[in-house]
Amino acid sequence: MRNVIIAGNWKMYKDLQGTTELINGLRSQLTTLPPRVTVVVCPPFTSLALASTLLKGSPIRLGAQNMSQHDEGAFTGEISWNMLRSAGCEYVILGHSERRQYYGEKDEVINAKAKKAIASSLKPILCVGETLAEREAGVTDRVITTQVRGVLSGLTKAEMSSVVIAYEPVWAIGTGKTATPAQAQEVHQLIRKLVSQIHDWPLAEQTVIQYGGSVKPDNAAELLSQNDIDGALVGGACLKPDSFASIINAVK
Ligand code: PEP
């Protein structure tokens, strides 16, 4: 049985007051978690240290939404692994489609960030996903293959044990359009096959592959019941304690 990881990507929402309210709301709803389930919240950088303090004694883990591939230096506006670690992070989302789309991040840089994260004992959540135009052109498999091979390039089997992969079809993110469970399962199966080709089946069988894209309380159970879907990366629905908790409680 693989572990299940439900992560909430807060994106650019919640100031310090909003962070306090959301974390306190989640803490009161999630005192214990189902076995095998890890819950991660990924607030904006400015809220990480506060969130870490508020989460003390809770089973909820902390993650960030991005990280530099550099250790330190003259990189205005960037955040290093050390800053994330000292703020209490264990996870970091890398290569989210909004980073790819608006900030030009390519597989190569996402791969460099992944290597830096793992070397720094942070667990990267590596995002891949096709656009609507790519799906309609019938090139989803090709796009996913290129992205998966690109972001995992050069990672050893030992390094892979801390990697989480998130399949997030770009057309389903923040749009209310969810991939059908069958569509998602098909791509998850492909991703697991790719991991087995790069490494081997035992490792592929253990790799956690999350689905992301308009996951809501009313569609979570069906998505999460698919054989190769091992959790969710949740945007909009993670901003309210009730809806995020319902998604977590949908894990069977
Ligand atoms: C995301 O931000 O990764 C995401 C999947 O957003 P949403 O759930 O709002 O589609």
Side-chain angles (χ1 to χ4, degrees):
M1 278 290 233
R2 278 184 291 275
N3 290 328
V4 171
I5 302 180
I6 309 286
N9 174 14
W10 293 17
K11 310 198 188 196
M12 199 171 73
Y13 293 102
K14 305 294 179 189
D15 58 11
L16 297 180
Q17 177 66 30
T19 297
T20 305
E21 286 163 10
L22 182 48
I23 299 275
N24 287 342
L26 287 171
R27 282 203 65 158
S28 65
Q29 302 225 8
L30 300 169
T31 43
T32 52
L33 298 177
R36 299 191 296 123
V37 178
T38 299
V39 173
V40 186
V41 291
C42 303
F45 293 132
T46 46
S47 288
L48 289 173
L50 171 64
S52 173
T53 304
L54 293 168
L55 286 171
K56 289 237 157 62
S58 139
I60 304 169
R61 324 311 308 169
L62 187 65
Q65 299 173 23
N66 187 24
M67 188 196 90
S68 171
Q69 68 273 39
H70 302 291
D71 289 320
E72 63 179 356
F75 300 104
T76 302
E78 290 291 291
I79 300 284
S80 74
W81 62 268
N82 186 40
M83 296 166 188
L84 298 186
R85 287 286 311 274
S86 72
C89 290
E90 290 175 54
Y91 290 82
V92 59
I93 300 170
L94 296 174
H96 189 278
S97 71
E98 287 150 16
R99 299 294 319 169
R100 291 173 182 265
Q101 193 180 345
Y102 305 132
Y103 303 97
E105 288 195 15
K106 300 270 180 277
D107 292 333
E108 202 180 358
V109 80
I110 298 161
N111 176 245
K113 290 179 177 198
K115 286 177 175 155
K116 183 60 73 180
I118 297 165
S120 327
S121 302
L122 286 161
K123 298 181 184 78
I125 298 177
L126 301 176
C127 303
V128 297
E130 80 288 0
T131 62
L132 185 59
E134 289 163 342
R135 177 159 282 265
E136 286 176 352
V139 295
T140 298
D141 286 15
R142 204 171 73 208
V143 169
I144 297 297
T145 301
T146 304
Q147 291 181 355
V148 169
R149 288 193 174 279
V151 299
L152 298 183
S153 177
L155 293 184
T156 64
K157 277 173 78 170
E159 288 173 323
M160 282 296 294
S161 64
S162 34
V163 166
V164 177
I165 300 174
Y167 168 56
E168 298 207 299
V170 179
W171 48 273
I173 297 178
T175 58
K177 284 185 205 156
T178 320
T180 64
Q183 281 174 321
Q185 165 59 24
E186 197 183 336
V187 178
H188 279 239
Q189 208 171 4
L190 166 68
I191 295 171
R192 202 173 302 286
K193 192 173 99 195
L194 289 167
V195 174
S196 82
Q197 288 167 353
I198 299 166
H199 292 284
D200 55 36
W201 262 114
L203 188 135
E205 285 289 3
Q206 279 173 19
T207 303
V208 172
I209 308 176
Q210 298 175 311
Y211 170 78
S214 298
V215 176
K216 307 282 177 218
D218 61 356
N219 60 23
E222 210 186 343
L223 285 161
L224 291 167
S225 69
Q226 301 301 303
N227 274 349
D228 290 289
I229 300 187
D230 315 314
L233 181 52
V234 183
C238 80
L239 296 173
K240 295 226 161 66
D242 290 7
S243 53
F244 195 48
S246 302
I247 291 170
I248 293 154
N249 291 327
V251 178
K252 290 281 170 313

